[in-house]
Amino acid sequence: MGTSFDAIAQRNAQDAKMAFLDQFTRAKEDIVSFVDSRLGWKQAGKFLGYFIGSFNISIAVQNGETGERALIRFPIPGKVYKSWLEQKVKNEVMVLKYISRHTDIPIPQVHHWGLTEESPCHMGPFIIEEFMEGEDLGELLRKPSDINEDLLVLNPGINNAKLDFVYEQIAGFQLQLSRLEFPRIGAISMDSETGEGKVTGPPLTYDMNEVVGFAGFPAESYTATEPFSRAGDYFSDRARCMQVNLETHRNIGFDDDNITWSRCVARHCFAKLVPVYGNIDEAGPFRLFCDDMRPSNMLADPKTMRITALLDLEFTNAMPAQYAYDLPSWLILRDPAIMISDSKQEFVDAFEPRKDQFIRAMERAEAKFPPAEGQPTLSARIRESWDSGRFWFNLAARSSFDVDEVYWKCLHKEGRGESMLDQATLDDKSEFLKRKKAQFDAYWAEKHNDKRFESS
């Protein structure tokens, strides 16, 4: 019951992406020359290759005399909401510099970065960074397949000692990030002289980018202009935004009335659950959290499985501490929200053995770097989050597309549901369903008349 992208918004984004990629490939030599100049290579820079990810495209450049390599990365319009391109790059640079200074996590060193006016061929904001060696860790862990389109699934035959080693490394990264403290929730910056972190604005998150770019969410409905000071305020704002998403996501109304109404109930219930689950370290300190820290964004040595790099730390913010106290949702590589749509029990049966394995890895990491005296261990916090159901609340809070599925499959209990709704919401049921039906009819007519969909 997860919601799908608005097909028109998705096609608009695809068109913007393809136009940018066409311009990008034609500017290849100018981009290489730009990197050469910025790094002082005296025209020794040579094109090495393209790399494309979920949100960025990169060119690797090599110094033909010294062999040194570097990467220049650009966010892709269409994959990143156009008004946030520069903010995304600036936020990521601040995160990279802060993590580099305060941890030993292997991340690329930033050589140069700039905004659109400094960009080669006006390609948009960019980062020139260290070239990191290694292979995609997700591919090294996945079930072997001859079909590239197969879903990413953890290899059931993987050597447990090998997986233990991978988990312990990632547990160590999570442990380090969980000990970085911030006074507010939002985007961070770093004082260039002291290295201290500051929270300078509201967060820019993965979910914000997705709903604005692919679900018709009006960006101006993100009304926060300052960081959040309390976790409950942040989660209450998330609940408000999920209601805005429900009202503005035009193709939600294609479902029958019962499913459409169940989505409304789920989002109102999520709001009611904020005081139940969204109350860990309410007034801080808050912790650095990356929505997208998963094996597919890590590089490793395929022979030793030593992780050589964490990549793509965009959409990393100081966030409610309870996010940092969760199990990684990717432990079996598949998205929990996708798996529970078929069978929650099937997901739990596959996930729990890896959950226990990861917690043991965290305990080994903590034995090397124990918490301050009197502080609870991260492994204990992780267990509590899973056992209490907070893991599912946090997962729902991070995805407007999956909140309905997660609520009904994992958070709903007797006494919840319609009984939690106020009378005004119940009285509005009929009008709500009419609004969604009219909205979907208008969306369908627009899609039908759009020549780009004639062959689909």
Side-chain angles (χ1 to χ4, degrees), residues 22-201:
D22 178 64
Q23 180 188 359
F24 186 81
T25 54
R26 287 188 282 108
K28 179 184 76 173
E29 295 303 326
D30 289 329
I31 294 171
V32 171
S33 295
F34 177 80
V35 174
D36 180 286
S37 174
R38 281 297 181 102
L39 297 181
W41 285 357
K42 299 179 180 178
Q43 300 182 339
K46 307 294 182 185
F47 172 78
L48 196 60
Y50 293 111
F51 295 89
I52 189 163
S54 298
F55 301 102
N56 309 288
I57 187 167
S58 308
I59 285 179
V61 182
Q62 185 168 31
N63 186 320
E65 295 180 357
T66 67
E68 180 185 357
R69 289 183 286 179
L71 204 71
I72 182 167
R73 282 200 305 130
F74 298 84
I76 303 171
K79 296 297 292 183
V80 179
Y81 178 56
K82 62 182 180 180
S83 296
W84 292 338
L85 289 166
E86 296 196 343
Q87 184 181 347
K88 170 194 173 293
V89 167
K90 182 179 178 181
N91 289 0
E92 185 174 3
V93 169
M94 295 297 105
V95 165
L96 286 169
K97 290 188 173 185
Y98 186 83
I99 292 176
S100 178
R101 181 153 183 168
H102 292 275
T103 76
D104 61 9
I105 296 171
I107 59 172
Q109 298 299 303
V110 176
H111 297 314
H112 297 278
W113 69 284
L115 302 179
T116 302
E117 63 269 17
E118 307 165 79
S119 175
C121 303
H122 304 288
M123 295 302 302
F126 66 91
I127 303 173
I128 301 175
E129 64 186 25
E130 178 185 7
F131 185 93
M132 306 293 280
E133 301 283 355
E135 296 185 15
D136 183 327
L137 180 60
E139 291 297 320
L140 296 175
L141 297 177
R142 73 177 294 174
K143 180 180 178 181
S145 172
D146 294 329
I147 306 173
N148 291 333
E149 288 74 21
D150 277 0
L151 289 169
L152 203 63
V153 179
L154 183 67
N155 183 355
I158 193 168
N159 179 281
N160 260 331
K162 178 189 291 187
L163 192 57
D164 275 339
F165 182 56
V166 171
Y167 277 1
E168 188 170 335
Q169 292 175 83
I170 296 172
F173 302 154
Q174 184 174 345
L175 185 62
Q176 290 188 67
L177 292 175
S178 75
R179 292 177 178 176
L180 302 176
E181 299 183 351
F182 297 88
R184 296 188 293 174
I185 295 168
I188 74 164
S189 66
M190 188 182 76
D191 187 296
S192 59
E193 294 184 1
T194 66
E196 293 304 310
K198 300 182 291 183
V199 181
T200 52

Side-chain angles (χ1 to χ4, degrees), residues 185 229-236 278-283 286 320 322:
I185 295 168
S229 297
R230 303 186 70 82
D233 292 343
Y234 175 75
F235 285 121
S236 293
N279 53 12
I280 301 299
D281 295 350
E282 164 70 2
F286 305 108
Q322 62 194 66

Side-chain angles (χ1 to χ4, degrees), residues 117-419:
E117 63 269 17
E118 307 165 79
S119 175
C121 303
H122 304 288
M123 295 302 302
F126 66 91
I127 303 173
I128 301 175
E129 64 186 25
E130 178 185 7
F131 185 93
M132 306 293 280
E133 301 283 355
E135 296 185 15
D136 183 327
L137 180 60
E139 291 297 320
L140 296 175
L141 297 177
R142 73 177 294 174
K143 180 180 178 181
S145 172
D146 294 329
I147 306 173
N148 291 333
E149 288 74 21
D150 277 0
L151 289 169
L152 203 63
V153 179
L154 183 67
N155 183 355
I158 193 168
N159 179 281
N160 260 331
K162 178 189 291 187
L163 192 57
D164 275 339
F165 182 56
V166 171
Y167 277 1
E168 188 170 335
Q169 292 175 83
I170 296 172
F173 302 154
Q174 184 174 345
L175 185 62
Q176 290 188 67
L177 292 175
S178 75
R179 292 177 178 176
L180 302 176
E181 299 183 351
F182 297 88
R184 296 188 293 174
I185 295 168
I188 74 164
S189 66
M190 188 182 76
D191 187 296
S192 59
E193 294 184 1
T194 66
E196 293 304 310
K198 300 182 291 183
V199 181
T200 52
L204 175 62
T205 68
Y206 176 91
D207 187 70
M208 289 169 64
N209 183 72
E210 298 300 281
V211 294
V212 170
F214 303 106
F217 188 103
E220 62 272 15
S221 290
Y222 288 115
T223 55
T225 57
E226 297 290 334
F228 294 88
S229 297
R230 303 186 70 82
D233 292 343
Y234 175 75
F235 285 121
S236 293
D237 192 66
R238 289 295 301 131
R240 178 190 66 81
C241 289
M242 286 175 177
Q243 292 293 342
V244 174
N245 170 238
L246 182 69
E247 289 286 349
T248 57
H249 195 151
R250 300 186 298 170
N251 54 325
I252 278 181
F254 81 91
D255 301 313
D256 66 42
D257 284 355
N258 289 333
I259 294 176
T260 302
W261 177 242
S262 75
R263 296 184 189 280
C264 183
V265 174
R267 293 171 193 236
H268 280 281
C269 289
F270 174 84
K272 300 289 186 181
L273 292 177
V274 167
V276 178
Y277 293 113
N279 53 12
I280 301 299
D281 295 350
E282 164 70 2
F286 305 108
R287 313 289 174 165
L288 209 59
F289 180 80
C290 176
D291 275 289
D292 209 24
M293 197 176 87
R294 54 193 170 92
S296 293
N297 283 332
M298 300 178 191
L299 302 179
D301 182 326
K303 294 180 179 178
T304 66
M305 298 301 285
R306 181 166 296 280
I307 297 172
T308 57
L310 269 66
L311 306 174
D312 298 345
L313 290 169
E314 60 246 315
F315 307 122
T316 297
N317 300 273
M319 296 298 276
Q322 62 194 66
Y323 283 175
Y325 302 158
D326 267 344
L327 285 158
S329 61
W330 50 259
L331 288 180
I332 57 175
L333 300 191
R334 287 207 61 192
D335 184 338
I338 293 174
M339 283 196 73
I340 64 171
S341 65
D342 296 325
S343 167
K344 180 188 174 185
Q345 193 58 50
E346 181 181 345
F347 169 78
V348 170
D349 290 345
F351 191 81
E352 284 208 314
R354 301 308 182 189
K355 172 207 77 174
D356 295 335
Q357 188 174 3
F358 185 83
I359 290 175
R360 291 193 297 271
M362 180 62 75
E363 289 170 339
R364 293 194 298 274
E366 290 171 325
K368 298 175 184 176
F369 302 100
E373 186 175 353
Q375 292 298 311
T377 62
L378 182 55
S379 55
R381 289 182 180 275
I382 286 172
R383 281 196 190 91
E384 189 279 333
S385 178
W386 177 261
D387 292 343
S388 68
R390 188 175 291 107
F391 170 91
W392 295 109
F393 173 85
N394 293 341
L395 191 69
R398 296 199 300 272
S399 178
S400 301
F401 292 93
D402 299 319
V403 58
D404 312 323
E405 190 80 54
V406 174
Y407 172 76
W408 287 110
K409 293 290 181 69
C410 305
L411 293 170
H412 182 68
K413 296 179 181 178
E414 185 177 351
R416 296 178 181 172
E418 281 199 13
S419 62

